[in-house]
């Protein structure tokens, strides 16, 4: 398998979705660093890549729901 996604990554400004680039750079409008498409869900993907993280997140949600019910 030689399939690769390198070179097809689109970078965009977090504040201006219309600003896009084929590579890393800065937004001409606000000067923010452009982020690769999909970076927004990187953390979520990271959390679900580790079962321990999911367990901690579920425990946290159950704890918050329990507190909400008590009140
Ligand atoms: Zn911008």
């Amino acid at each position: 398998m030689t399939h690769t996604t390198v070179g097809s990554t689109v970078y965009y400004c977090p504040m201006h979705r219309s600003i896009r680039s084929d590579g890393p750079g800065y937004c001409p409008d606000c000067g923010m660093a452009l982020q690769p498409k999909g970076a927004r869900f990187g953390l979520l993907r990271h959390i679900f890549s580790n079962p321990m993280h999911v367990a901690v997140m579920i425990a946290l949600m159950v704890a918050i729901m329990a507190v909400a019910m008590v009140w």
Side-chain angles (χ1 to χ4, degrees):
M1 292 258 278
T2 53
H3 182 78
T4 176
T5 53
V6 172
S8 62
T9 303
V10 176
Y11 286 73
Y12 67 89
C13 173
M15 304 298 286
H16 305 95
R17 287 306 199 98
S18 58
I19 303 292
R20 288 163 192 265
S21 174
D22 289 335
Y26 295 92
C27 174
D29 279 11
C30 64
M32 282 184 74
L34 300 179
Q35 295 189 349
K37 198 180 179 197
R40 186 163 294 202
F41 299 103
L43 183 67
L44 210 65
R45 215 173 291 146
H46 168 74
I47 288 170
F48 283 105
S49 68
N50 189 332
M52 190 64 191
H53 291 162
V54 178
V56 169
M57 207 167 70
I58 289 170
L60 211 69
M61 279 169 66
V62 168
I64 289 167
M65 277 174 70
V67 170
M69 276 184 194
V70 168
W71 285 95

